[in-house]
Amino acid sequence: MPRRTATMLASTLLLIALLCAGVLIRVPYAEMSPGPTVNTLGDARGEPVLHISGHKTYPTSGNLNMTTVRVTGADYDMNIVEAVYGWLAHDSVVVPHDTLYPDGKTEEQSTQENAEEFSQSQESAKVAALKELKIPVTSRVVVSTVVKDSAAEGVLHAGDVIKAVDGSAVEQPEDVAKLVTKHTPGEDVVFTVIPAKAAAAAEKAGKEPQGAHDVTLTTRKAPRDPANPSQDRAIVGIQAGTDHTFPFEIDIKLADVGGPSAGLMFSLGIIDKLTPGNLTGGKFIAGTGTIDDDGKVGPIGGINMKLVGARDAGARYFLTPDDNCSAAASDTPSGLTLVRVKTLDDAKKSLEKISAGDTAGLPSCSAG
């Protein structure tokens, strides 16, 4: 066989071997890429994303799109070829697997966690929007979860309203832990509660929940905290949360989406539907950001992928959480204007400027 032919054959075989190895060898990485965007003012799968009944609503136009990131599953192992392709592609990011799924978290666990965060973000979005519009919302502290085999199991139940602990009124969820940890393990603590069923019935009838009674629990020792190995902390095995009663019905319907990052855009969509005029001025605006009950906007993950998804969907402006501004400004897709937001009120005022065509004074993001 001629030397040139032999060299080409050997090179071809080596290339095939390398490609096969690249496909077969798995690496501990995962990929993030732009996901779909959804207009919170519009429909998804034939149903309005925001459905409001029991209160006057107004026509809307334009777009207030929430943005998403598509990620590879927890159980999927990338091969070397996929990892290299992802590193070279501009519209995807390859990150260590543990970045997306820490502590060996399974895909099912991650999906459940994302669903819970999405549900909570919807509640906070409603509360923040109504507070911004000065519409009263009734809030109360409730038992959010009960730990299995804890002192509270079978005595307290999810949804029970916590009125007081040891006679001290409870105003915020964190008050519960503060009052319980005043005890040492083994001491009794008295909860004043309204059962979940009674609270739900009162809410349905539009009345204030009644029927509070005292429940005594014996505290137990919390699992040892590595940061404070000598500290014995008392617990009863519950997590307190906040339940809200809204003056009218606000339904957010959006399937196959998880996590808390759509909160800001849901709040803005609700405000637009509940107020006369046009918050967007017919413009295509996208954005992201968590939101708490008081309207504070928080950071999210995958900001650069969301920017690409928004630009590809047709957005001209992107509402960007303050803490994500630097990363977003370092790689902004052409044709997309970043608008920095810290609060829901910030975002609302910026939308009013965009609607009026007064964009010169919009708060911007800077790299660095």
Side-chain angles (χ1 to χ4, degrees), residues 148-152 184-187 218-222 233-237:
K148 185 175 176 58
D149 297 326
S150 66
T184 57
E187 290 184 341
T218 302
T219 60
R220 298 179 184 176
K221 186 187 297 186
R233 184 167 56 90
I235 60 171
V236 295

Side-chain angles (χ1 to χ4, degrees), residues 143-280:
V143 176
S144 179
T145 56
V146 179
V147 178
K148 185 175 176 58
D149 297 326
S150 66
E153 185 180 25
V155 182
L156 296 179
H157 304 87
D160 288 351
V161 179
I162 305 173
K163 301 293 290 183
V165 176
D166 290 331
S168 297
V170 169
E171 303 292 340
Q172 302 292 335
E174 53 268 27
D175 294 343
V176 177
K178 289 178 182 177
L179 292 167
V180 170
T181 53
K182 286 183 176 181
H183 293 269
T184 57
E187 290 184 341
D188 287 345
V189 58
V190 179
F191 278 71
T192 303
V193 299
I194 300 173
K197 288 185 178 180
E203 181 178 342
K204 188 174 182 179
K207 298 179 180 179
E208 187 68 23
Q210 303 293 328
H213 66 279
D214 290 343
V215 173
T216 301
L217 298 171
T218 302
T219 60
R220 298 179 184 176
K221 186 187 297 186
R224 188 58 55 91
D225 183 356
N228 298 287
S230 62
Q231 184 178 17
D232 289 332
R233 184 167 56 90
I235 60 171
V236 295
I238 67 165
Q239 182 174 344
T242 306
D243 184 54
H244 305 285
T245 301
F246 299 102
F248 48 89
E249 185 178 352
I250 304 175
D251 250 351
I252 300 176
K253 294 184 178 180
L254 196 57
D256 302 325
V257 176
S261 64
L264 170 63
M265 303 311 291
F266 284 145
S267 286
L268 291 170
I270 292 168
I271 289 173
D272 200 4
K273 285 179 174 288
L274 290 176
T275 52
N278 194 332
L279 199 56
T280 69

